Amino acid sequence: MGPAALAEIVGRGNRDGARLFREWFEDLGRAAVDGRGGAYVFVMGSLGELLRVFDLPLVFPEINSLQTAVRHVAQEYLNEAEDLGYSSDLCGYVKADVATQRRGGELPMGRIPPPKIAVLTNACNTYVKWAEIWERMYRMPCYVLDVPGTRADGTQTWRGNRDFENDRRYVAAQIRELIALLEQVTGKKFDIDRLRESLQNANRLGRGWKRVLELNRSRPSLFNALSDGTIYLGVCNGFRGAPEGAVYFEQLVEEMELKQREGIGTLVDERFRLVFVGVPCYPIFRRFTELFTEHGGTFVNSTYLWFASGGANRAFEYDLADPVESLAEGLLVSVRDAMDSMFYPTTALAEMVETYAVDGVVFHPIKSCRTVSTGLADNRRALMERCSVSTLFVESDMMDQRVVSEAQLKNRIDAFFEGLVSRRLAPAGGAGAGR
Ligand code: SF4
């Protein structure tokens, strides 16, 4: 392949991701100007596949809020909500969204329409209380879809199991109820063939996402799961069920396979392969990543790319012959997987350490997301009992600059890498091989 063709493909995922993101916001801006409401949804079980069938613009308040942090304006939004009485230790995404709504949907990336309906799952308890705020503000309907979760690591059940079949029927009944509500809210008749198209697009996207994640087992790794991965994740959520999402992930697979063949890694001279657990530090997002890459540390995978994609990493294949029942099964499998990635990550992490040849696992609990952060200390201990891998436990926040201390983070991260270096230099089983 010539250098021009190579230059066109390498980096395309990041360029196209940014373009799709801009286009998505332009669409939302038009919906806001035209007075069309959107469907407010969350990353863990968005049901984008179904909502597209009713031509509802998709608004992801979590993604909008994190963008305020990445663009360094989150504090203004947080302060505004705190002045209204929202507590400083609440989920920062909620507070940024409250301020966004009070500003008529104005965000640094554009303007979002108000909600016509909100659809949420029980994957995070904050979702339910958050949607109640919109209910009070806009008096619009909210549909809470209850997805039965597992109760312990490794207790996931599958098709054919009696409990699983009961749970699937329970989710399917809720989806049928939601379809009736969507018909009422939009005044549009449900079109099962459009759902089939949407599920087919989601199948293509899911296959691509799974493959992209697997391809990062390459050495050197092909993308940084923290920085590049977050761009891919945005497309995975925002374009699930859309043809653009399907094409994007097929092209991303092409890009990653090309990079693998040509031995092209990230811009970092990879010395240590890392896995990230938790939610990123968005207020200093670029710098946070640099604190690792400066030492030659690259993130080859993360639990974030699993739970924040709503379990799309599972690549559940919808059966187009039976779309509604299959959507229920896919939602059950994927949202359960997302919840397990947050609550019981040990088995998956131990496997990742093995298959991705990982040197270190970084646990990043954050002040304002209890759902993800509670239990991370136990998860870390459990992982260290299961496998011999270095770990770092470092705290900050995803939104709130006031609790992000770059100097403290740097000290801890520098010490972590010193440990990794001595561990590598030490004879196997000798001094320095500890964690
Ligand atoms: S508490 Fe955590 S998982 Fe829940 S909405 Fe906030 S950031 Fe998302």
Side-chain angles (χ1 to χ4, degrees):
M1 178 170 290
L6 208 63
E8 200 203 307
I9 296 178
V10 174
R12 183 175 60 191
N14 289 25
R15 290 192 299 273
D16 285 357
R19 175 182 54 77
L20 284 171
F21 202 80
R22 276 195 306 277
E23 290 171 4
W24 179 18
F25 265 83
E26 282 161 14
D27 279 350
L28 291 178
R30 277 191 289 275
V33 170
D34 299 348
R36 283 181 286 131
Y40 277 37
V41 295
F42 295 93
V43 295
M44 292 190 282
S46 71
L47 277 173
E49 300 93 329
L50 175 63
L51 296 165
R52 283 183 196 289
V53 174
F54 291 91
D55 297 317
L56 283 161
L58 296 185
V59 179
F60 284 79
E62 292 157 298
I63 297 178
N64 300 340
S65 292
L66 78 84
Q67 282 293 328
T68 65
V70 171
R71 290 160 194 254
H72 306 291
V73 293
Q75 215 58 48
E76 295 168 25
Y77 287 72
L78 296 180
N79 291 345
E80 199 171 318
E82 286 177 16
D83 286 347
L84 293 169
Y86 287 90
S87 159
S88 63
D89 60 357
L90 268 182
C91 169
Y93 288 172
V94 176
K95 287 185 289 185
D97 173 67
V98 166
T100 304
Q101 301 305 332
R102 286 174 56 85
R103 294 170 180 212
E106 287 299 340
L107 283 161
M109 309 80 77
R111 186 166 156 223
I112 54 166
K116 198 176 180 109
I117 185 170
V119 178
L120 48 141
T121 66
N122 56 322
C124 169
N125 52 359
T126 299
Y127 288 174
V128 183
K129 304 312 286 180
W130 192 345
E132 286 174 4
I133 300 173
W134 300 323
E135 263 181 333
R136 286 197 296 274
M137 281 180 172
Y138 299 105
R139 312 252 166 235
M140 28 58 76
C142 290
Y143 193 90
V144 184
L145 215 143
D146 183 26
V147 180
T150 54
R151 292 289 176 268
D153 191 8
T155 59
Q156 169 73 287
T157 52
W158 304 99
R159 190 186 300 179
N161 172 286
R162 201 182 61 148
D163 290 342
F164 181 87
E165 293 303 331
N166 284 340
D167 291 344
R168 188 190 54 71
R169 274 196 292 275
Y170 174 55
V171 174
Q174 294 176 76
I175 288 180
R176 281 193 286 274
E177 201 173 54
L178 174 60
I179 289 173
L181 177 62
L182 288 165
E183 287 186 325
Q184 204 183 313
V185 167
T186 61
K188 290 191 173 164
K189 196 98 195 86
F190 171 55
D191 181 342
I192 199 158
D193 288 325
R194 282 194 67 191
L195 179 62
R196 279 197 180 92
E197 276 170 35
S198 180
L199 295 184
Q200 191 166 27
N201 290 331
N203 282 347
R204 290 168 60 196
L205 177 146
R207 265 177 244 140
W209 184 228
K210 183 166 187 265
R211 176 82 181 127
V212 164
L213 294 174
E214 285 168 357
L215 279 164
N216 223 24
R217 290 176 183 159
S218 294
R219 200 183 262 275
S221 54
L222 311 171
F223 66 93
N224 188 313
L226 198 58
S227 48
D228 308 310
T230 303
I231 298 170
Y232 312 155
L233 182 63
V235 179
C236 183
N237 282 313
F239 292 85
R240 182 180 308 206
E244 297 92 327
V247 171
Y248 176 86
F249 275 95
E250 284 167 357
Q251 292 192 338
L252 191 58
V253 169
E254 186 191 23
E255 177 185 339
M256 294 304 151
E257 286 179 343
L258 171 71
K259 288 179 79 172
Q260 186 184 48
R261 274 199 308 278
E262 301 286 332
I264 302 171
T266 63
L267 295 176
V268 175
D269 176 18
E270 181 174 297
R271 293 203 294 139
F272 299 104
R273 295 165 65 84
L274 308 172
V275 164
F276 185 82
V277 184
V279 179
C281 175
Y282 286 121
I284 53 162
F285 189 40
R286 179 181 295 204
R287 183 65 194 134
F288 185 74
T289 310
E290 281 169 4
L291 291 175
F292 295 91
T293 55
E294 281 169 358
H295 290 276
T298 52
F299 287 100
V300 295
N301 206 338
S302 76
T303 57
Y304 189 55
L305 296 185
W306 294 15
F307 63 75
S309 70
N313 52 295
R314 272 261 160 219
F316 179 86
E317 285 277 333
Y318 293 115
D319 175 3
L320 306 185
D322 198 0
V324 174
E325 293 296 319
S326 188
L327 178 61
E329 182 175 349
L331 190 75
L332 179 59
V333 166
S334 310
V335 173
R336 260 188 189 176
D337 193 75
M339 291 195 268
D340 285 353
S341 314
M342 292 188 291
F343 306 140
Y344 317 118
T346 309
T347 304
L349 284 173
E351 265 175 41
M352 254 190 229
V353 167
E354 183 93 9
T355 52
Y356 285 76
V358 167
D359 300 294
V361 179
V362 177
F363 289 84
H364 181 240
I366 50 174
K367 181 200 70 165
S368 60
C369 177
R370 308 266 162 74
T371 305
V372 172
S373 305
T374 307
L376 283 194
D378 289 335
N379 294 146
R380 179 198 194 195
R381 199 166 38 242
L383 181 68
M384 286 162 69
E385 280 164 14
R386 284 273 284 274
C387 56
S388 172
V389 66
S390 298
T391 61
L392 170 68
F393 197 78
V394 65
E395 295 164 87
S396 76
D397 199 51
M398 64 201 184
M399 288 290 285
D400 193 344
Q401 182 89 50
R402 291 168 298 190
V403 290
V404 177
S405 163
E406 189 186 318
Q408 274 180 19
L409 286 169
K410 183 168 174 8
N411 278 344
R412 301 286 315 281
I413 293 167
D414 288 351
F416 172 61
F417 279 100
E418 277 170 28
L420 284 176
V421 170
S422 5
R423 189 181 166 117
R424 190 164 279 174
L425 294 175
R435 293 152 182 150

